[in-house]
Structure formats: structure tokens, C-alpha cells
Amino acid sequence: MAPKPRRVTQREIAEIAGVSQTTVSVVLNDRDGTNVRIPEATRARVKQAIEQLTYVADPAARRLAGLDNQIIGVFTYEAALSPESMDFYGPLLNGIERAAERIGWDLLFFTSSPVEDGTRSLFHRKTRLRLTDGCVLLGQQMVASELERLVAEQFPFVAIGRRDETAAAVPYVAIDYVTPTTALIDQAAAAGHQQALYVHRGRDTPAARDRRGAVEAASAEGRLAFLLVGEERIADLPRLARATGASVIIAEDAFLLEDVVHALTTAGVAVPEEVSVAALGEVRGHRIEGRMLAGFHVPREQLASEALDLLQLLIATDPQEWAELETRRHLVAEVEPGETVVARTGDPS
């Protein structure tokens, strides 16, 4: 982890501004400027000195001095605007834009840090992090050392998605995937399905672990028996379904499910008449031969709005009081019944 920057002292600010430390203290604790004992010219000199000393080193002092820019940074660890990633990032970015517009703040989208080995560095020398009053972080996986540095420096930020990369007190807004995964599995079991395949991407992200954990729990409890299958074995799914008697295949996301359905139909397996299918991800906008997919609706715009609401709260609160705030929020994805999980012949629906 990078070393924590040295704190700028009131003495240093006083020396540059040519005032006493007491005057600096009064300015720092008088955000609304109601203390008439401090002339405006003196107040301006103190703020200029703070800006000179703390533009990079001490954003907390800048906020206390009323030097916020009303600019929110948006940083994505992966490329966000490619055709492949827009399905995931598009609703999030739309929600952030709407929320920022509502509160009258501007967004600064960090793009100067290059993508290297599939990820960006927030603290790349080109990233203009300190121009902002706070930052929203997006990414399937984030860099633990960078999260820890932000926490140590008391820089206001909110991550989208639960963060397990570090034990540091990372503020985040996340989707609860366990609850809807459990509900979707129970619906499949109620429709008479007993054997299932779960097709996953092998990712080690919190959301992927939550989905897989709920699948494994259902299998262990005997609600619906699953065989876990990596995406590299999609071509084997027709054979695996016949060998295991699986009548339903659940995929980690809708894009993966489209590949699953292609493999099944190519092998002559009728979907959903012979094998039902569902996705543990957003399915609105995805259809199979005109049928609505069973899966989730993920409230990503609401997720982004909650993230900006939390970030604004952190910006407006003294960092010494952050421990008293509820800085981890969870939203639940909604189950979309769709038309691709059907009752087994002769079984109750």
C-alpha cells in the first residue's frame, strides 16, 4: 500500500497566508462565512494558502475550507464504453448522469489511465483524481491496494458492488444476488425440475461467488440437484443433460445463456420444451425465439443513484464522523419469471 501522505498543518497554512494559526482555525471551522471577525480578504488568503498546500495532499482540508469543486469523478477499472461492456455499464453510467444532474454537480470521466493487462490504475500519474470532490468506482474486480489508499487518505469514494478484495472499510452499494437466485431455483423446483446444470464463467468476483454459493446451497439442501459446468464445456451440455437427467440449465448471465441455447438447439434439443433455461443476471432485452428469458431485472440505475447519494453524504460529512454512517447499502435484484422455465410434463406447475 502506498504511504499515507503527510498532513498539512495549520502552522504551514498560517505562514503562507501571513496570518495566525488561530485565524486559520476560525476559517476552517466557519464554512458559511458567518464569523464577521474575519475580513473577506484575510479569509481569501487563507483559502488560497490551503489550496496551494492541499490541492493534492489533503482533500479533507479542502472540503472543510469550502473549496469543493462540485465535480464527481467516475473511474472504471475496465473499458466501459465498448459494445461488449455497455450492457453492464450503460445503465450504471446513465443512472450516475441522472443523479449528478439532479444534485447539480458535474461528472469527470477518467479515461487517461490506459488499460493494461485488462485493468486501469486509479493512481496512474495521468488520472486527475484530485480535481474531484469524490469518486465513484466501477469494475468487476478492483485493486485492493488502491481501495486501501483511498480509505487511508480519507478521500470520499463509493464502489459499485460489494468489495472483498480488502478488509478496509470500503463504502459501497451492491446488488443482492443471493435472494433472487434462491427464489429462481425454488421456482424451478416447484415446476417439477429435480436435476439441473449451472453454467458459469469461473470468475472470482463477489457477485459470481454469491450466485455460485446459492446454487451449491440449493444442491446441498436437496432443493434442486446441480452439476456445475464451466463455460469452456458449453459444447458438452446436450450430452451432460442427457447423462444427468437435467431438465433445466441455469447460466451465470444472459449472454452466456444465449451460447447455452445455441449449443442445445444445434444438437436438436428443444428449448424450453425439453430443457428449460434461465439466467442469474439481467434478462430484459434478451429473448430466445421471441420468448422472454427467465432471470433477473437488476436495478442498475437505482444502484448508481444510491451510490451518488452515499458519495454526497461522505463529501458533506467530516471524515472523523464517517464511522458513524451506514456506508454499505444493498439492493435486491428482481426475479423475472419469463417464459423459458416450464413445468415438467405430468408435474404440477
Side-chain angles (χ1 to χ4, degrees), residues 7-53:
R7 286 290 186 188
V8 175
T9 67
Q10 290 187 14
R11 179 181 60 78
E12 291 172 302
I13 296 170
E15 287 177 355
I16 289 180
V19 299
S20 68
Q21 287 184 230
T22 300
T23 299
V24 172
S25 178
V26 171
V27 172
L28 286 172
N29 291 286
D30 184 37
R31 274 186 67 101
D32 58 4
T34 56
N35 192 323
V36 296
R37 293 186 298 122
I38 305 297
E40 189 56 41
T42 301
R43 190 185 304 276
R45 290 206 312 276
V46 171
K47 290 187 176 182
Q48 184 177 6
I50 294 171
E51 187 167 18
Q52 178 181 336
L53 283 169

Side-chain angles (χ1 to χ4, degrees), residues 12-154:
E12 291 172 302
I13 296 170
E15 287 177 355
I16 289 180
V19 299
S20 68
Q21 287 184 230
T22 300
T23 299
V24 172
S25 178
V26 171
V27 172
L28 286 172
N29 291 286
D30 184 37
R31 274 186 67 101
D32 58 4
T34 56
N35 192 323
V36 296
R37 293 186 298 122
I38 305 297
E40 189 56 41
T42 301
R43 190 185 304 276
R45 290 206 312 276
V46 171
K47 290 187 176 182
Q48 184 177 6
I50 294 171
E51 187 167 18
Q52 178 181 336
L53 283 169
T54 65
Y55 191 75
V56 171
D58 197 348
R62 285 180 51 76
R63 295 193 302 278
L64 287 173
L67 293 172
D68 46 349
N69 295 319
Q70 294 190 323
I71 297 175
I72 293 169
V74 179
F75 182 81
T76 64
Y77 276 93
E78 304 100 19
L81 302 180
S82 66
E84 297 80 13
S85 60
M86 275 302 291
D87 182 75
F88 176 79
Y89 283 112
L92 289 174
L93 294 173
N94 187 38
I96 291 172
E97 179 185 35
R98 291 187 180 187
E101 181 181 5
R102 187 178 65 250
I103 64 177
W105 284 38
D106 290 318
L107 296 176
L108 178 58
F109 191 32
F110 298 126
T111 55
S112 59
S113 174
V115 177
E116 298 175 345
D117 298 324
T119 188
R120 287 190 174 102
S121 171
L122 178 61
F123 289 100
H124 188 275
R125 59 183 176 79
K126 290 185 177 181
T127 304
R128 297 170 177 84
L129 179 65
R130 304 301 177 169
L131 290 178
T132 68
D133 301 302
C135 185
V136 177
L137 303 183
L138 301 97
Q140 297 285 346
Q141 293 181 307
M142 301 184 185
V143 179
S145 60
E146 295 192 344
L147 297 175
E148 291 163 358
R149 179 174 173 181
L150 288 170
V151 171
E153 293 183 13
Q154 297 182 323

Side-chain angles (χ1 to χ4, degrees), residues 120-234:
R120 287 190 174 102
S121 171
L122 178 61
F123 289 100
H124 188 275
R125 59 183 176 79
K126 290 185 177 181
T127 304
R128 297 170 177 84
L129 179 65
R130 304 301 177 169
L131 290 178
T132 68
D133 301 302
C135 185
V136 177
L137 303 183
L138 301 97
Q140 297 285 346
Q141 293 181 307
M142 301 184 185
V143 179
S145 60
E146 295 192 344
L147 297 175
E148 291 163 358
R149 179 174 173 181
L150 288 170
V151 171
E153 293 183 13
Q154 297 182 323
F155 187 85
F157 78 101
V158 174
I160 298 289
R162 194 182 81 241
R163 306 324 314 170
D164 293 345
E165 294 92 341
T166 173
V170 174
Y172 66 74
V173 180
I175 294 292
D176 169 8
Y177 284 104
V178 174
T179 300
T181 296
T182 301
L184 189 63
I185 290 171
D186 288 345
Q187 288 182 11
H193 297 278
Q194 298 178 347
Q195 300 291 327
L197 303 178
Y198 177 59
V199 185
H200 61 90
R201 296 187 183 275
R203 293 171 175 165
D204 190 30
T205 64
R209 289 196 298 272
D210 284 350
R211 292 176 173 102
R212 192 163 57 246
V215 166
E216 291 171 343
S219 194
E221 294 164 7
R223 290 183 284 123
L224 184 60
F226 279 94
L227 173 67
L228 274 61
V229 182
E231 64 176 325
E232 70 280 359
R233 299 183 64 192
I234 283 181

